[in-house]
Amino acid sequence: MSPLVKVDVHDSVAWVTLDSPPVNAINGALIDALSGALDAQAPPAVRAIVIRAMPGAHVFSAGHDVRELPTDGRDPLTYNDPLRRVVRRIETHPLPVIAMVEGSVWGGACELVLACDLVVAASEATFALTPARLGVPYNLSGVLNLMKVADMHFVKEMLFTARPVPAGRMAAYGVVNAVVPIEELEHTTAEIGTAITGSSPLVIRIMKEELRVLANAHPLTPEAYERIQAQRREVYDSHDYQEGILAFLEKRRPVFHGS
Ligand code: YXS
């Protein structure tokens, strides 16, 4: 298995550990390794999957690798972008996927975590949706994925402020299933995994797919889709988009002009 991802199977639960220092930035190499690890898990040997960072991680994942965001006028979040690919892989995987979170989760990594079927977080964990801080026009399916797990006002607060939100508040809004002290994190996650392994994998597989299909059942006219895409292009063709990426790479606050 790639050194970027480690897999250990205990009691029919596959523990998939992200190990791409320093911050598990979501890039092509990490997503290829993670997708390969997910594809290798199947019943009867495995009945549930846990995605985690290395024990003691201060950063679960810093989100999309900013250095892989295009600056030549291409859409930064297209269908085949690594982040989009791994979110779909998690959503369509026949096994339940549990995100076990310690440390801070940033940007697209929040969507990766929230695409999992359950989320168990350490008390100190935080979640920050940061596209607005980087000048990145999040894409439709990404925004829908956030709306599927949280109330609209909470999603807008996270997207508009880009501030880290403590795990306890995420749980209060039903986004995180359980928040526990760091020393109980693995045990609590393992208990949930074991409870799942006692159920019919066939029934879980179809219920997971039923929920995915129903949650994605949002009619959208071609005109509405094209209008949104045109607005997104206005953003990734803008000064603000270039400035957001440059400011990050130059380790300074961005100066946005709204154009
Ligand atoms: O300077 P070196 O070479 O040591 O590298 C630094 C950072 O540049 C690098 N790094 C990243 N590289 C690529 N993509 C990233 N997302 C990223 N984040 C960090 O890691 C090295 C250590 O970072 P440093 O010195 O800042 O560490 P720290 O412990 O002080 O702070 C860790 C973070 C994660 C709090 C800090 O690095 C940070 O705020 N990173 C950016 C988090 C973020 O806004 N991510 C969103 C990425 S864009 C995305 O996910 C979507 C496209 S969207 O924006 O739409 O959601």
Side-chain angles (χ1 to χ4, degrees), residues 18-220:
L18 306 180
D19 185 16
S20 181
V23 292
N24 284 335
I26 296 174
N27 54 34
L30 177 59
I31 294 314
D32 288 346
L34 177 55
S35 300
L38 293 173
D39 291 347
Q41 311 313 320
V46 173
R47 305 280 283 276
I49 298 169
V50 175
I51 296 177
R52 61 166 301 167
M54 289 292 281
H58 294 296
V59 178
F60 177 88
S61 169
H64 201 297
D65 189 325
V66 174
R67 293 176 175 85
E68 289 198 354
L69 288 174
T71 54
D72 57 358
R74 282 180 299 123
D75 186 336
L77 290 172
T78 54
Y79 186 80
N80 290 319
D81 170 82
L83 172 63
R84 307 271 27 102
R85 283 192 283 119
V86 74
V87 164
R88 284 196 305 274
R89 191 67 198 94
I90 291 169
E91 289 178 324
T92 58
H93 198 288
L95 292 176
V97 182
I98 304 166
M100 187 184 88
V101 179
E102 59 185 299
S104 55
V105 190
W106 301 85
C110 285
E111 191 194 342
L112 184 156
V113 165
L114 301 185
C116 293
D117 300 293
L118 294 92
V119 182
V120 183
S123 317
E124 301 78 11
T126 59
F127 301 77
L129 290 175
T130 52
R133 195 175 79 174
L134 278 160
V136 174
Y138 223 62
N139 64 314
L140 273 172
S141 57
V143 169
L144 176 61
N145 282 341
L146 304 176
M147 289 167 59
K148 289 189 299 194
V149 294
D151 297 339
M152 180 65 83
H153 280 177
F154 189 59
V155 172
K156 287 182 177 178
E157 177 193 330
M158 290 192 74
L159 284 171
F160 295 173
T161 69
R163 286 185 311 199
V165 175
R169 261 199 95 204
M170 299 291 279
Y173 281 91
V175 183
V176 169
N177 296 78
V179 179
V180 296
I182 185 73
E183 60 272 13
E184 296 173 19
L185 185 61
E186 278 193 32
H187 176 71
T188 302
T189 306
E191 268 191 335
I192 293 172
T194 302
I196 290 174
T197 60
S199 302
S200 157
L202 183 59
V203 173
I204 288 178
R205 174 163 60 82
I206 61 162
M207 286 194 297
K208 176 172 175 177
E209 180 61 5
E210 284 169 345
L211 289 163
R212 185 186 73 83
V213 168
L214 289 170
N216 286 342
H218 291 260
L220 189 66

